[in-house]
Amino acid sequence: MIDSHMHLSLGMVYAPFNEEKLLEAMDTMSISLGLVSLVDVMEYGNQDQHDPLPTLSEYEGAQRVLEMLSSGRLFPLVWVRPMDTKKEIFFQYLADNTKRFYGFKFHPFHSRLPLNHDRWEIYFEVAKCFHWPIVIHTAIDEFSQPILVSRWAEKYEVPVVLVHMGLYTDHRQALEMMLRYPHVYGDTTWVKEVDLWPILEKAGPEKVLFGSDALVGGERTYEFYHTMCDTLRRSSQVGDWVLKRNAERLFGIVGQ
């Protein structure tokens, strides 16, 4: 089983949780592997925080996330900051370490930048060059609506994962994107189990990845997914795609 949406934390934004703590939580759910990004690259906090957070640059974050991993079970994504300068140094570092990373992580809400803004395009260009997927937080807010990905999906055949499939929505907009574009996918992060089955029926299990947000949701994050995962495991054809095969295919990692 592979969790496609996990995080590490140095403690700048959330409580600190390192690789060891994350692996302990994974083991409670029999999760073998996971894709992680570093939350301490976040640019802004909640909607009431108007000033940038004192966090790491995208360049510093890319370096730090590699330093934090040693088990071979976690695969790093690069959390990006569209407003950061020194892009040449950052992208050269990624080019020098291309095979050590597995994609980009976008968080339009925490960047305070709509997903269809011009500043995101450079990352699609680089992802296309590196053959990387892009994992994108999507939600009801003005920055993160799933429909905004259409600008890039029309132009770039880069695999895109719509995290949450539109948090705090009925998921229809995300489903529309998943059905319209063969390279756009969704994940289960904070999606209610009752809402997941109609999505799987309409889009097919080949379009949905298991993701949890561990441990941003706290040490008990995985409790939200127990019943969902049990049901998926019992349905071998559907569960195999959602719990493992899609992540293996999109990110080029080998499941266990």
Side-chain angles (χ1 to χ4, degrees):
M1 184 172 170
I2 300 172
D3 188 338
S4 67
H5 184 200
M6 311 169 75
H7 300 288
L8 296 169
S9 171
L10 297 169
M12 296 179 179
V13 181
Y14 293 94
F17 40 90
N18 59 14
E19 181 180 47
E20 181 180 4
K21 200 171 188 68
L22 199 51
L23 293 177
E24 289 176 2
M26 290 165 61
D27 289 341
T28 67
M29 285 282 286
S30 300
I31 297 171
S32 300
L33 307 172
L35 289 129
V36 295
S37 57
L38 182 61
V39 294
D40 303 84
V41 188
M42 186 184 297
E43 292 166 277
Y44 293 89
N46 62 46
Q47 62 268 25
D48 298 320
Q49 294 176 320
H50 302 293
D51 296 323
L53 297 169
T55 46
L56 303 177
S57 70
E58 57 188 0
Y59 176 49
E60 293 169 327
Q63 294 175 305
R64 197 65 179 271
V65 74
L66 289 182
E67 295 170 359
M68 296 177 73
L69 301 177
S70 61
S71 69
R73 293 176 59 186
L74 300 180
F75 301 84
L77 302 174
V78 180
W79 189 309
V80 306
R81 294 167 55 108
M83 302 302 289
D84 274 8
T85 57
K86 301 181 180 179
K87 295 294 187 192
E88 290 185 8
I89 296 174
F90 172 58
F91 288 130
Q92 184 59 57
Y93 177 76
L94 298 186
D96 293 340
N97 293 276
T98 305
K99 297 191 180 300
R100 301 178 70 187
F101 294 107
Y102 291 81
F104 283 126
K105 163 65 184 288
F106 291 7
H107 205 306
F109 177 79
H110 286 309
S111 291
R112 295 292 193 274
L113 193 70
L115 180 54
N116 60 352
H117 193 281
D118 290 349
R119 283 185 177 269
W120 296 108
E121 184 162 19
I122 184 62
Y123 300 102
F124 279 91
E125 292 281 359
V126 173
K128 178 182 176 182
C129 178
F130 291 168
H131 305 288
W132 284 1
I134 298 177
V135 175
I136 303 175
H137 166 93
T138 60
I140 197 171
D141 64 84
E142 63 184 299
F143 307 108
S144 315
Q145 294 173 19
I147 193 71
L148 301 179
V149 81
S150 60
R151 177 182 181 185
W152 309 119
E154 293 284 350
K155 187 172 182 180
Y156 298 95
E157 292 187 5
V158 171
V160 168
V161 180
L162 304 178
V163 174
H164 312 295
M165 293 188 281
L167 191 63
Y168 307 124
T169 74
D170 59 11
H171 308 297
R172 291 183 185 179
Q173 201 178 96
L175 180 60
E176 179 185 343
M177 296 295 97
M178 293 159 62
L179 293 173
R180 184 184 303 176
Y181 303 107
H183 51 293
V184 174
Y185 302 80
D187 93 342
T188 65
T189 305
W190 303 125
V191 175
K192 295 178 181 178
E193 184 181 359
V194 68
D195 294 330
L196 177 62
W197 310 126
I199 293 171
L200 289 173
E201 184 177 346
K202 293 172 184 175
E206 299 88 349
K207 296 301 291 277
V208 179
L209 292 75
F210 173 71
S212 72
D213 228 359
L215 288 168
V216 164
E219 294 186 10
R220 302 172 69 178
T221 297
Y222 282 121
E223 291 184 8
F224 181 84
Y225 304 96
H226 275 165
T227 306
M228 175 192 293
C229 288
D230 286 345
T231 307
L232 285 168
R233 286 184 175 118
R234 288 196 298 269
S235 177
S236 58
Q237 286 186 323
V238 173
D240 194 42
W241 281 105
V242 177
L243 298 176
K244 187 174 71 169
R245 290 179 65 184
N246 290 326
E248 290 176 336
R249 181 166 54 96
L250 291 187
F251 297 97
I253 61 179
V254 178
Q256 296 179 3

